[in-house]
Amino acid sequence: MLNLNDLYSNRAKRNAGSFLRQIFPRTREPGVINFAGGLPNPDFFPIEPIIAATEKAMRMDGRETLQYGMTEGLLGLREWIADRYARQGLKVTPDQILITNGSQQGIDLIGKVFLDPGDKMVIEAPGYMSAIQSFAMYEPQFIGVSLNEQGMVVDELADTLKQHRVKLMETCPSFQNPSGLAYSIATREALAKVVSQHNVVVVEDDPYAELRFMGAETKSLQAYLGEQVITLGSFSKIVAPGLRLGWTLASPEITRKLTLAKQLVDIHTNLFAQRVLFQYLLDGNIDGHINQMRGVYLSQRNAMVDAMARYFPPETVFTKPEGGMFVWVTLPEDADAMALFNLSMDTEKVAFVPGVPFYTDGKGKNQMRLSFSTQSPAKIEEGMQRLGRVISSYLDAPSKN
Amino acid sequence: MLNLNDLYSNRAKRNAGSFLRQIFPRTREPGVINFAGGLPNPDFFPIEPIIAATEKAMRMDGRETLQYGMTEGLLGLREWIADRYARQGLKVTPDQILITNGSQQGIDLIGKVFLDPGDKMVIEAPGYMSAIQSFAMYEPQFIGVSLNEQGMVVDELADTLKQHRVKLMETCPSFQNPSGLAYSIATREALAKVVSQHNVVVVEDDPYAELRFMGAETKSLQAYLGEQVITLGSFSKIVAPGLRLGWTLASPEITRKLTLAKQLVDIHTNLFAQRVLFQYLLDGNIDGHINQMRGVYLSQRNAMVDAMARYFPPETVFTKPEGGMFVWVTLPEDADAMALFNLSMDTEKVAFVPGVPFYTDGKGKNQMRLSFSTQSPAKIEEGMQRLGRVISSYLDAPSKN
């Protein structure tokens, strides 16, 4: 006598699944050049070093590594992460670090610990789709704040924080997903000045920070706002996402709350993977590896923005990221990137992500996200040539529907 | 201008952390014989087979294993799990399996997908502490149903389901945590008959099912109730908990809902650990390993119940489990197991878990959980002798406070 519709929670009824999940099957069709993903380049995964690290770690600490562990995560790994922030001049202690199943889990835990239904939270517009959807499960009221070439528009943020009692702000200040934009130092300073006047916690989603391949280094928002910030870090983009290892960096007090929440969610993060990664970080050449990835992504980024300049019609605008994996394209106002996606897949087999799911208010219809991270420069050149043809013929068509 | 008390969610304010976390520091004091944990015996972790499996899996599929994967989990591992249920005569397909970060995550996902605040759910009394605390984050109204030697008291369940509109039932039918009790075949049949008349989903928390070391085999509640059941399985007790790998088995429809929820929680479970475990299951001798563990736990269980019979005062009652890791002790009505815990730690340094946190209504004051899984028969003998002395002197004392 089962009637599931009477049993599902309201949040489950609202969760229709991610947009990427819906377009995913099309991106796997044969012959497609796929710029829709946000995956790191698998050609450079440290496979042999991880085999070696596993053997060494398991011979050294097999019993402890395969047993239940502390919710906080492996102490050595937390110390390694804390030490890494010292490079920016930040003083971080291991009790400020919680190891998570990728930084996506950090987002979910923050929603769990901070959001009651109806609470107000600021998100970037456009913002990271999976963060928006994850927070949405806790039923907040989203308020979008615009981005420009310097990062978040601080005047708009200031007005928003004055008008609304905002609990939480989601930001991705370095090479943002989806736009590729980075907050300038001036923006970070101005944002900190505004935020410090309000009782609000800033989520700094920061998986791409180490992937800067040009321009001046910036510091984490931690350097400006301290205990008002929860920074989400990840090994997915600098080592490998299949390990599902990320972390939260916050005050000891907030870290404790997140830890108590995580304990009930899954007890602790995979200790086997934590211990293997820690051994890899000790023995491998992580800085060399990150430098190599920066070089790879720079050449792929150059291939993309250069080809866009050559092949895209002049009324198209796109970002020129100094790091990360994404370029954000804006078509003329009346264009519909979803219609363009279907046309592109049907005629030229080039995949990207249309812009609407990166907003919570229906904006972004004429925008799209492209990732350069998994395609060779030659494939990017070919893909942009094809996509340029699709955009031109779409914009030239008398009716765009 | 940070005032966290105004920012935390109501659920975070209520989450005081687990009771085990509170007593954990005391159980680590030098000289303590610890029966408080619920950990598998680390002497038998398959360390070398896992090193070999890692090397083989990574050489074969390193790129795929270190990349992002599907939320559902590794197909080969899901097929292996589905096949394993065929041993019980159950027909299970891989689209009924979702790989989770240990079965604790299954509990959290079920709460997320089914529970709105105030929804009614049945739990066993006593029940699994971490499940109760995890579900509590979704603010249901708990209704306890008693257990006896045959498992859940079905008449009490029938009355409860008639009187209350219950959405969800949490059960642990095989070698329950904390009691060690197993539902008999007659109880499973009777429970199924009652449950099938109501629109309710049964959670069958089943991590110990393969650890039966005596008595007749029983079948999963899936065999009786099909799509009304979500079974939680785990590799923690049959391989190693540090891998954090478990699964949910449910109808394809429910599995899809759980998968959509998991996607927003952490994208997917550690693929590195999944692939390594899968290789171990293919190449290792998992059945031999489980048989060995059954033998180990049987000898430890025998040491415990035999020593309890010899050293505990006759007014003490305890379960005699046919599998799993736990013995449940009931002292006379007016005894206080928390006071006994402190006395025991102070005088004889024997740790156990007092009974109250296994109930939601303050019951269990005179009860306690002991695990035999990590101590040798000789240590168990010594621990029960010491604990017997503590119990006797406690019960003989004129004032028990």
Side-chain angles (χ1 to χ4, degrees):
Chain A
M1 216 185 88
L2 192 65
N3 180 352
L4 286 169
N5 283 332
D6 287 350
L7 298 180
Y8 288 136
S9 66
N10 290 325
R11 75 182 77 78
K13 284 179 192 158
R14 277 199 321 275
N15 181 8
S18 91
F19 180 75
L20 281 179
R21 216 178 150 87
Q22 291 165 41
I23 65 170
F24 185 76
R26 286 221 70 180
T27 66
R28 297 287 285 248
E29 289 170 12
V32 167
I33 307 182
N34 187 9
F35 302 105
L39 280 58
N41 195 323
D43 292 346
F44 302 89
F45 288 151
I47 295 174
E48 288 299 324
I50 283 182
I51 294 173
T54 304
E55 185 172 346
K56 192 164 168 186
M58 289 289 281
R59 293 254 161 81
M60 230 189 271
D61 293 325
R63 283 168 59 103
E64 294 73 21
T65 299
L66 293 177
Q67 189 56 284
Y68 284 106
M70 300 297 291
T71 305
E72 291 81 351
L74 186 69
L75 180 60
L77 185 59
R78 289 187 290 132
E79 287 171 342
W80 187 93
I81 294 165
D83 285 351
R84 194 135 184 116
Y85 283 104
R87 295 185 174 200
Q88 299 181 33
L90 287 173
K91 260 198 178 163
V92 173
T93 52
D95 65 342
Q96 294 182 259
I97 306 285
L98 169 66
I99 305 293
T100 56
N101 307 323
S103 64
Q104 182 74 26
Q105 189 185 38
I107 293 169
D108 182 57
L109 292 174
I110 291 167
K112 193 164 263 210
V113 165
F114 287 96
L115 294 176
D116 287 316
D119 282 347
K120 292 180 179 177
M121 83 171 283
V122 160
I123 50 157
E124 297 170 320
Y128 173 47
M129 199 185 330
S130 296
I132 295 170
Q133 292 183 314
S134 180
F135 284 126
M137 294 293 268
Y138 297 98
E139 306 172 58
Q141 185 187 330
F142 291 115
I143 306 169
V145 173
S146 313
L147 300 180
N148 63 23
E149 288 291 320
Q150 302 301 309
M152 189 173 269
V153 178
V154 178
D155 288 347
E156 195 181 323
L157 174 66
D159 288 347
T160 301
L161 294 182
K162 253 179 236 159
Q163 280 172 44
H164 300 277
R165 200 173 146 191
V166 171
K167 261 191 173 183
L168 216 54
M169 284 174 54
E170 160 76 9
T171 70
C172 183
S174 294
F175 323 120
Q176 196 227 22
N177 181 354
S179 70
L181 294 168
Y183 291 21
S184 67
I185 292 172
T187 296
R188 287 168 199 250
E189 286 170 354
L191 178 143
K193 208 171 153 187
V194 168
V195 165
S196 64
Q197 292 159 30
H198 296 273
N199 189 25
V200 59
V201 167
V202 179
V203 181
E204 178 186 45
D205 197 1
D206 212 24
Y208 312 106
E210 298 233 33
L211 293 182
R212 175 180 285 281
F213 38 65
M214 53 175 29
E217 289 289 337
T218 53
K219 287 182 182 183
S220 159
L221 294 181
Q222 293 277 344
Y224 302 92
L225 279 163
E227 61 174 9
Q228 266 189 289
V229 182
I230 305 173
T231 300
L232 301 176
S234 177
F235 291 102
S236 292
K237 309 306 191 286
I238 58 173
V239 183
L243 297 171
R244 305 307 306 121
L245 291 173
W247 67 88
T248 59
L249 159 62
S251 67
E253 151 72 20
I254 290 177
T255 303
R256 197 179 144 268
K257 276 283 186 205
L258 295 171
T259 304
L260 290 179
K262 179 169 166 72
Q263 184 176 31
L264 298 181
V265 163
D266 61 8
I267 309 180
H268 63 82
T269 295
N270 198 300
L271 191 50
F272 173 62
Q274 288 186 70
R275 184 63 187 82
V276 168
L277 173 68
F278 178 50
Q279 197 64 49
Y280 165 73
L281 294 172
L282 292 179
D283 297 345
N285 178 10
I286 180 68
D287 288 321
H289 179 69
I290 292 173
N291 267 330
Q292 183 185 32
M293 296 318 301
R294 286 182 187 130
V296 169
Y297 288 145
L298 173 60
S299 69
Q300 294 172 186
R301 172 266 191 204
N302 284 344
M304 184 169 277
V305 299
D306 292 353
M308 281 179 172
R310 266 176 287 128
Y311 298 120
F312 282 19
E315 57 268 49
T316 314
V317 179
F318 51 89
T319 57
K320 292 165 196 73
E322 298 189 332
M325 303 182 167
F326 301 105
V327 173
W328 184 244
V329 178
T330 302
L331 304 169
E333 280 275 326
D334 60 342
D336 176 355
M338 190 65 222
L340 185 71
F341 173 81
N342 288 321
L343 186 66
S344 173
M345 291 300 296
D346 292 345
T347 59
E348 297 277 3
K349 293 201 165 292
V350 176
F352 55 84
V353 187
V356 170
F358 299 99
Y359 294 85
T360 55
D361 57 2
K363 280 186 199 153
K365 219 182 146 191
N366 62 324
Q367 298 184 301
M368 52 208 241
R369 187 191 80 177
L370 285 86
S371 167
F372 50 79
S373 55
T374 53
Q375 302 290 355
S376 67
K379 272 281 174 201
I380 291 171
E381 167 79 15
E382 187 191 337
M384 291 308 101
Q385 191 170 11
R386 291 198 209 171
L387 186 56
R389 279 198 298 264
V390 181
I391 297 174
S392 297
S393 79
Y394 172 79
L395 293 180
D396 290 347
S399 159
K400 296 197 177 70
N401 302 300
Chain B
M1 214 185 88
L2 191 64
N3 179 352
L4 286 168
N5 283 330
D6 286 350
L7 297 180
Y8 288 136
S9 65
N10 291 324
R11 74 181 79 77
K13 283 179 193 161
R14 275 199 322 275
N15 181 9
S18 92
F19 180 75
L20 281 180
R21 216 178 151 90
Q22 291 165 42
I23 65 169
F24 185 76
R26 287 222 69 181
T27 66
R28 298 286 286 247
E29 290 170 12
V32 167
I33 307 182
N34 186 8
F35 302 105
L39 280 58
N41 194 323
D43 292 345
F44 302 89
F45 288 152
I47 295 174
E48 288 299 325
I50 283 182
I51 293 173
T54 303
E55 185 172 345
K56 192 165 169 186
M58 290 289 282
R59 293 255 159 80
M60 230 189 272
D61 293 325
R63 282 168 59 102
E64 295 72 20
T65 299
L66 293 178
Q67 189 54 284
Y68 283 106
M70 301 296 290
T71 305
E72 291 81 350
L74 186 69
L75 181 60
L77 185 59
R78 290 187 290 130
E79 287 171 341
W80 188 92
I81 293 164
D83 285 350
R84 193 134 183 116
Y85 283 105
R87 295 184 173 200
Q88 299 181 33
L90 288 172
K91 261 198 179 163
V92 172
T93 52
D95 65 342
Q96 293 182 260
I97 307 285
L98 169 66
I99 305 293
T100 55
N101 307 324
S103 64
Q104 182 74 25
Q105 189 184 39
I107 293 169
D108 182 57
L109 292 174
I110 291 167
K112 192 164 262 208
V113 164
F114 287 96
L115 294 177
D116 287 315
D119 282 348
K120 291 180 179 175
M121 83 171 283
V122 160
I123 49 156
E124 297 170 319
Y128 173 47
M129 200 185 331
S130 296
I132 294 170
Q133 291 183 313
S134 180
F135 284 126
M137 294 293 269
Y138 298 98
E139 306 172 59
Q141 184 185 330
F142 290 115
I143 306 169
V145 173
S146 313
L147 300 179
N148 63 23
E149 288 291 319
Q150 301 301 310
M152 189 173 269
V153 178
V154 177
D155 288 347
E156 194 181 323
L157 173 67
D159 287 348
T160 301
L161 294 181
K162 251 179 238 161
Q163 280 171 42
H164 300 277
R165 202 174 144 190
V166 172
K167 262 191 174 183
L168 215 54
M169 283 173 55
E170 160 77 8
T171 69
C172 183
S174 294
F175 323 120
Q176 196 229 19
N177 182 352
S179 70
L181 294 167
Y183 291 21
S184 67
I185 292 171
T187 296
R188 287 167 199 250
E189 286 171 353
L191 178 144
K193 208 171 153 185
V194 167
V195 165
S196 64
Q197 291 158 30
H198 297 272
N199 189 25
V200 58
V201 166
V202 179
V203 181
E204 179 186 44
D205 196 1
D206 213 24
Y208 313 105
E210 298 232 34
L211 293 183
R212 176 180 284 282
F213 37 66
M214 51 174 32
E217 289 289 338
T218 54
K219 287 182 182 182
S220 158
L221 294 180
Q222 292 277 345
Y224 301 92
L225 279 164
E227 61 174 10
Q228 266 190 287
V229 182
I230 304 173
T231 300
L232 302 175
S234 176
F235 290 103
S236 293
K237 309 306 190 287
I238 58 173
V239 182
L243 298 171
R244 304 307 305 125
L245 290 173
W247 66 89
T248 58
L249 159 62
S251 67
E253 150 74 19
I254 290 177
T255 303
R256 199 179 141 267
K257 277 282 184 204
L258 295 171
T259 303
L260 290 179
K262 179 170 166 72
Q263 184 175 32
L264 299 181
V265 163
D266 61 10
I267 310 181
H268 63 82
T269 294
N270 199 299
L271 191 50
F272 173 62
Q274 288 186 69
R275 183 65 186 83
V276 168
L277 173 68
F278 179 49
Q279 197 65 48
Y280 166 72
L281 294 172
L282 292 179
D283 297 346
N285 177 11
I286 180 68
D287 288 320
H289 179 70
I290 293 172
N291 267 330
Q292 183 186 32
M293 296 317 300
R294 285 182 188 132
V296 169
Y297 289 145
L298 174 60
S299 69
Q300 293 173 185
R301 172 266 190 204
N302 285 343
M304 183 168 278
V305 298
D306 291 354
M308 282 179 170
R310 265 176 286 128
Y311 298 119
F312 281 19
E315 56 268 48
T316 315
V317 179
F318 51 88
T319 57
K320 293 164 196 74
E322 297 188 333
M325 303 182 166
F326 302 105
V327 174
W328 184 243
V329 178
T330 303
L331 304 168
E333 280 275 326
D334 59 341
D336 176 354
M338 192 65 222
L340 185 71
F341 172 82
N342 288 320
L343 187 65
S344 173
M345 292 298 297
D346 293 344
T347 60
E348 297 277 3
K349 293 202 165 291
V350 176
F352 54 84
V353 186
V356 170
F358 300 100
Y359 295 84
T360 55
D361 58 2
K363 281 186 199 154
K365 219 181 145 193
N366 61 325
Q367 299 185 300
M368 51 207 244
R369 187 191 80 177
L370 285 86
S371 167
F372 50 80
S373 55
T374 52
Q375 302 290 353
S376 67
K379 273 281 176 203
I380 290 170
E381 168 79 17
E382 187 192 337
M384 291 308 101
Q385 192 170 11
R386 291 198 210 171
L387 187 56
R389 278 198 297 265
V390 181
I391 297 174
S392 296
S393 79
Y394 173 78
L395 293 180
D396 289 348
S399 161
K400 297 197 178 69
N401 302 302

